[in-house]
Amino acid sequence: MRRSPKDEPRNRPVRASKLQAPSLKLQRSSKRQAQDDAVRSSAEPPWWADQSEEEPLALRDEGAELPARHPRDLEERTALFGERIVRFSKRIPRSPTNDRLIDQLVGAATSVGGNYCEANEGVSRKDFRFSASRCVKEAKETKFFPRMVVASEPQLADEARPLYREPHELPLIFASMRRP
């Protein structure tokens, strides 16, 4: 059987690839990385380190006056809850187990507020209910992780107790908003 020219491999010269060679900056040695870490640790603390514990971590315009918020403003309440969780997570000792718990706790707690902001921008009632149901799920998940942190670090039980109460109340609020 005779092969057609299409079946035979072509003997063309191989062109140079257009792919860029790896940059040396991307392939940093561990010695270089250790030097960079030492420089970072000796630098001045970040701007957020001087925040007091009671002061909310909010980015605001310095000269602009903020409108008075209603004491029961749910958007502000979820934002303050997320800030308290972030502050609490900084007190948890670092270990492989705790790092996973910290990631889950902070992710779930801050997404409650984000999902509520999204729900407020809903175009339809159905869209609002869907976003509010996600808020309920995230708040219930947030309720779970402080308990796991206390199981890992029992000395944090007193600090975690108020953080356990808030995600217990939030799903009740969001669930009442979902009902027709």
Side-chain angles (χ1 to χ4, degrees), residues 74 77 136 166 168-178:
L74 197 52
R77 182 175 175 176
V136 171
E166 184 73 8
H168 176 72
E169 295 172 7
L170 288 173
L172 299 174
I173 295 168
F174 291 127
S176 69
M177 295 167 63
R178 268 191 329 190

Side-chain angles (χ1 to χ4, degrees), residues 89-107:
S89 69
K90 290 180 180 179
R91 293 188 194 109
I92 302 171
R94 303 297 297 234
S95 73
T97 304
N98 289 349
D99 288 347
R100 177 70 175 155
L101 292 174
I102 291 168
D103 291 345
Q104 291 287 325
L105 175 64
V106 171

Side-chain angles (χ1 to χ4, degrees), residues 16-102:
S17 172
K18 291 185 178 182
L19 297 176
Q20 185 177 4
S23 170
L24 292 177
K25 289 181 181 178
L26 297 176
Q27 299 173 345
R28 294 174 22 180
S29 68
S30 59
K31 185 167 86 171
R32 168 76 183 199
Q33 192 172 7
Q35 290 171 348
D36 289 347
D37 291 343
V39 169
R40 274 191 222 114
S41 65
S42 66
E44 65 183 53
W47 60 270
W48 62 83
D50 61 346
Q51 289 275 339
S52 71
E53 292 297 316
E54 276 65 31
E55 183 179 332
L57 295 174
L59 298 176
R60 298 186 179 133
D61 293 332
E62 293 297 323
E65 286 190 30
L66 298 172
R69 298 280 243 189
H70 191 273
R72 294 192 180 110
D73 183 12
L74 197 52
E75 192 171 323
E76 184 68 16
R77 182 175 175 176
T78 56
L80 290 174
F81 173 64
E83 291 172 7
R84 285 195 308 267
I85 290 287
V86 168
R87 283 193 201 102
F88 172 69
S89 69
K90 290 180 180 179
R91 293 188 194 109
I92 302 171
R94 303 297 297 234
S95 73
T97 304
N98 289 349
D99 288 347
R100 177 70 175 155
L101 292 174
I102 291 168

Side-chain angles (χ1 to χ4, degrees), residues 107-109 111-112 115 133-143:
S111 67
V112 173
N115 287 331
S133 68
R134 278 195 318 218
C135 291
V136 171
K137 289 177 184 178
E138 292 293 338
K140 286 181 179 179
E141 184 179 344
T142 304
K143 185 178 172 183

